[in-house]
Amino acid sequence: MNTPLSFVIYQSASELPENWDTIAKSTIFLQKDYFEILEYSCPSNMKCFFIGVFQNKELVGVALSQFLDLNKLESFGERDQCLKTIIRNFAFKRFSSHVLFLGNCMLTGENAYSFLDFIPYNEQIKVLHEAQNKIEGILKNQGIPIHLRTSKDFSKAKIDEINQTSFGSIFQFTTQPNMIFSIPEHWKKEQDYINALAKKYRDQYKRARKKGEGVLKRKLSLTEIEQNQELIYDLYYHVAKNAPFNSFFLAKNHFSVLKKVWKENFLFYGYFNDEKLIGFNTLIKNGDTMDTYFLGYDDTIQREKMLYLNMLYDMIAYSIKKEFKTIIFARTALEIKSSVGAIPETMYGLMEHKNPILNYFLPHFFYYLEPKTIWKERNPFK
């Protein structure tokens, strides 16, 4: 008979066991360095908890939990100002402002937890649920009651496994898909990508590159990121606040802390017009996967120079050149990402409200208030 699993809740990366990263090797987003980044530069309305799972005093699993206080947000997003959005924002503020996540609300994908293979999945889910109960108790002792508990993101295979456990009865939801770009092994340079495009999308590529002439792109050092911190944040914030929905805004020092800790695993590219920074994008090397991260731009110039589309092409070109297998383009801007070759992957989440009555009606409320994204999937290849 297996020894029962136990867990420890940590609130500082410096407290984590030495062998933490050997369990978290599946993704850079569960490793010590990343948790250090979160500790020193997470959003102001967020608290992070790091979960270590043990069997016979040996570390066998690691996980991330985040608490979000939506009362501290000045805006949930300003793009959609319809009646549904107003009702949704009121509902969040009034009934669901304290949210406890299992997983990372700053990323898209399976970055919530990692276990050694011999730990049965139902035991993994059970001990993580117990750890969430413990974190909820810690917050309650600080005078912070939890309204909503959410776990994210799960692939179809993982949600099928969850459905075989007692947690399969929890309300399951989907939002915008994760946009994933797979790089064929025989592609070695950007021209291989261009050659694979159908004429319509090759013309789109040429048009974007023509429009982008005069814009200089270059990698920024830590010093340059620190020197341009205010402008970088303004460019980021402009894009973020015009999203359909936000649960956080990055800290101003987030990119500089990322660069300081991750060095060449974090790439920051600035785009300049007449020597003025007009936009930026960021990339994170995660094994053989390239994760696209946050970006920002001056919207007036973005339209004129097709800046966003050129950024996508630049990310693809770099990832091909450096022989990555996959690019994670994450959520948002689904159609334009589809037009460059990204394919949607449905991701699932679990959600439960602490109020039994609200929890009963949660599926109805969620699908009524969730912003709908209407888009057409493209296939740009021959």
Side-chain angles (χ1 to χ4, degrees):
M1 183 176 178
N2 289 334
T3 305
L5 300 178
S6 61
F7 61 85
V8 177
I9 308 297
Y10 305 95
Q11 295 188 54
S12 173
S14 63
E15 299 172 352
L16 301 179
E18 282 188 16
N19 62 332
W20 186 276
D21 286 355
T22 63
I23 310 297
K25 62 184 178 182
S26 62
T27 173
I28 197 172
F29 297 114
L30 283 172
Q31 295 175 7
K32 280 185 180 182
D33 281 354
Y34 180 64
F35 288 174
E36 182 183 339
I37 291 163
L38 288 180
E39 187 177 350
Y40 292 106
S41 68
C42 76
S44 59
N45 68 325
M46 177 187 291
K47 287 185 179 183
C48 293
F49 300 88
F50 316 129
I51 304 167
V53 179
F54 296 84
Q55 188 176 66
N56 294 323
K57 298 185 179 179
E58 291 295 323
L59 186 68
V60 297
V62 299
L64 171 65
S65 180
Q66 294 174 331
F67 163 71
L68 282 180
D69 185 350
L70 300 182
N71 284 317
K72 293 184 177 180
L73 276 186
E74 60 184 66
S75 168
F76 285 118
E78 298 175 7
R79 193 190 76 181
D80 303 328
Q81 291 298 326
C82 62
L83 180 60
K84 267 191 184 182
T85 304
I86 294 168
I87 295 171
R88 179 202 65 194
N89 293 353
F90 172 79
F92 267 106
K93 285 278 190 181
R94 180 69 179 83
F95 303 111
S96 303
S97 58
H98 292 169
V99 186
L100 184 61
F101 282 89
L102 176 67
N104 194 329
C105 63
M106 300 170 70
L107 302 167
T108 302
E110 294 185 291
N111 299 296
Y113 54 84
S114 180
F115 281 82
L116 293 180
D117 291 341
F118 65 84
I119 304 298
Y121 192 69
N122 64 321
E123 292 185 25
Q124 296 178 26
I125 295 297
K126 183 173 180 288
V127 75
L128 291 176
H129 185 78
E130 291 168 357
Q132 289 293 85
N133 289 342
K134 176 70 172 179
I135 294 169
E136 190 173 336
I138 292 170
L139 291 166
K140 187 176 181 180
N141 289 337
Q142 297 172 6
I144 305 171
I146 294 300
H147 302 137
L148 200 64
R149 279 179 41 166
T150 299
S151 303
K152 65 174 285 287
D153 290 307
F154 301 106
S155 64
K156 179 65 167 63
K158 275 287 185 286
I159 209 71
D160 287 344
E161 285 189 89
I162 289 172
N163 285 335
Q164 302 304 311
T165 73
S166 60
F167 299 99
S169 61
I170 296 173
F171 168 56
Q172 297 174 7
F173 66 93
T174 62
T175 55
Q176 292 185 14
N178 190 9
M179 299 300 290
I180 298 176
F181 187 102
S182 297
I183 301 174
E185 281 188 21
H186 65 275
W187 287 2
K188 302 301 178 186
K189 54 187 183 297
E190 184 181 14
Q191 190 61 46
D192 294 328
Y193 166 71
I194 298 167
N195 292 344
L197 294 172
K199 184 181 183 304
K200 174 182 175 181
Y201 294 96
R202 202 159 58 246
D203 290 344
Q204 172 183 280
Y205 174 90
K206 291 175 183 176
R207 186 168 63 254
R209 290 312 202 193
K210 183 72 176 175
K211 286 276 191 178
E213 287 178 357
V215 175
L216 174 67
K217 169 198 150 193
R218 64 179 175 84
K219 195 186 299 184
L220 267 61
S221 66
L222 171 60
T223 301
E224 290 174 305
I225 295 169
E226 290 174 333
Q227 289 172 343
N228 290 279
Q229 183 167 281
E230 291 296 327
L231 177 54
I232 287 168
Y233 191 80
D234 287 346
L235 293 170
Y236 151 75
Y237 187 75
H238 167 77
V239 173
K241 73 181 176 66
N242 284 296
F245 183 74
N246 283 303
S247 57
F248 66 89
F249 289 100
L250 295 177
K252 284 190 177 181
N253 70 340
H254 187 66
F255 298 117
S256 59
V257 172
L258 273 165
K259 191 65 178 173
K260 193 176 296 181
V261 173
W262 269 345
K263 300 180 173 61
E264 284 308 302
N265 277 335
F266 174 68
L267 304 176
F268 189 107
Y269 286 98
Y271 288 73
F272 296 83
N273 192 35
D274 295 329
E275 299 185 0
K276 180 186 176 185
L277 182 66
I278 58 167
F280 72 89
N281 65 48
T282 55
L283 296 168
I284 296 169
K285 299 175 183 178
N286 189 7
D288 58 12
T289 297
M290 180 66 80
D291 277 84
T292 65
Y293 202 51
F294 293 95
L295 54 74
Y297 48 71
D298 180 324
D299 196 46
T300 55
I301 301 175
Q302 193 284 129
R303 295 170 187 272
E304 175 193 342
K305 297 291 186 178
M306 297 179 74
L307 191 58
Y308 183 71
L309 187 54
N310 276 303
M311 286 180 179
L312 296 180
Y313 288 135
D314 288 342
M315 293 171 185
I316 292 169
Y318 180 86
S319 300
I320 294 171
K321 180 183 176 183
K322 296 299 181 180
E323 299 184 339
F324 285 85
K325 292 183 178 179
T326 306
I327 307 171
I328 304 298
F329 277 123
R331 297 187 171 102
T332 72
L334 305 178
E335 192 158 333
I336 192 170
K337 289 173 181 175
S338 179
S339 79
V340 301
I343 294 173
E345 179 185 19
T346 302
M347 303 302 293
Y348 298 82
L350 306 178
M351 183 183 292
E352 54 185 337
H353 202 286
K354 300 301 290 185
N355 182 305
I357 297 173
L358 291 177
N359 192 59
Y360 179 80
F361 289 103
L362 191 58
H364 176 76
F365 290 149
F366 182 88
Y367 288 117
Y368 176 77
L369 298 175
E370 166 69 9
K372 295 293 185 294
T373 302
I374 299 171
W375 67 288
K376 183 177 180 181
E377 186 173 350
R378 309 286 181 174
N379 176 18
F381 300 114
K382 293 175 183 174

